[in-house]
Amino acid sequence: MPTVEQSVIVSRPVPEVFQYLSTAENWPNWDNSIVESRQITDGPIGVGTRWQGASRILGKRIDWTAEFTEYDAPKRSSAKSVKSPVAFTLTTTCEEVEKGTRVTYRLDSESGLGGVFGRMADPLVTKAFGRSQQASLENLADLLDNEAAQ
C-alpha cells in the first residue's frame, strides 16, 4: 500500500487552520493536484459528510467522491474514497506547536497511485505525488500566513 506523508508548519492557530482545511471549496486554492472540489451533503461537516472533486496527477484527471470516516475538530480528520479509480484514505492532522500549527497530510492508496497509469509506474507516481503534496502544503502555509498579515 503506497503512502505519501508530508508536513508543514503554518503560523496560525490550530482551529483556524483546521476550519480552512475542512472546507472543500478551499482545496483547489492551495492543493496543486486538486482541480475542483465541493461538499455534496447538506448540514454541518462531520462523519458521513461527502464531497466530490477531481485531481490531476501527472496530467491525468481523476474524478472522485470521498466521505469523512473520522472528524475530530480541530485535531484530525480521515476520509475514504467511495467512488474513484484509485482507492484512497486521506488523513489530516493539526497539532499545536511553538510557532503555530503542524499540518500533517497522509494519503494511503490501497491499489497504488500508479494504478491508473499501470503498476510499473507506482514508485514514480508516488514520488511525484509526494513532491507535489509538499509543495501544496507550502502553498497552504504561505496562503494562510499572508491572510494573517493583511
Side-chain angles (χ1 to χ4, degrees), residues 4-6 31 90-92 103-107 129 133 137:
V4 173
E5 183 170 317
Q6 304 289 351
D31 190 322
L90 172 63
T91 303
T92 305
V103 176
T104 301
Y105 173 102
R106 178 183 172 109
L107 179 85
F129 187 72
Q133 282 314 118
L137 286 172

Side-chain angles (χ1 to χ4, degrees), residues 1-145:
M1 174 186 302
T3 297
V4 173
E5 183 170 317
Q6 304 289 351
S7 295
V8 71
I9 304 295
V10 180
S11 301
R12 307 297 309 143
V14 169
E16 184 179 320
V17 174
F18 191 87
Q19 175 63 39
Y20 188 84
L21 290 171
S22 295
T23 305
E25 290 76 13
N26 290 337
W27 299 344
N29 297 337
W30 65 272
D31 190 322
N32 298 330
S33 69
I34 296 183
V35 178
E36 59 189 64
S37 62
R38 65 185 178 87
Q39 184 175 327
I40 59 173
T41 52
D42 293 328
I45 298 171
V47 172
T49 298
R50 287 189 175 196
W51 64 93
Q52 70 184 180
S55 296
R56 189 164 305 284
I57 299 175
L58 295 179
K60 183 165 179 73
R61 182 183 170 104
I62 299 170
D63 294 307
W64 46 261
T65 301
E67 177 178 291
F68 277 121
T69 56
E70 177 184 1
Y71 191 79
D72 183 14
K75 299 181 235 172
R76 180 180 168 96
S77 67
S78 288
K80 186 169 182 143
S81 60
V82 293
K83 183 179 178 187
S84 173
V86 178
F88 64 87
T89 300
L90 172 63
T91 303
T92 305
T93 58
C94 293
E95 68 177 297
E96 186 176 346
V97 294
E98 185 177 327
K99 296 184 180 187
T101 301
R102 175 182 291 116
V103 176
T104 301
Y105 173 102
R106 178 183 172 109
L107 179 85
D108 293 291
S109 173
E110 294 175 17
S111 58
L113 294 173
V116 294
F117 298 93
R119 294 276 180 237
M120 297 292 285
D122 245 0
L124 172 68
V125 175
T126 300
K127 186 174 183 176
F129 187 72
R131 285 193 306 265
S132 174
Q133 282 314 118
Q134 186 60 46
S136 292
L137 286 172
E138 290 168 10
N139 287 343
L140 172 69
D142 289 344
L143 178 71
L144 293 180
D145 291 346

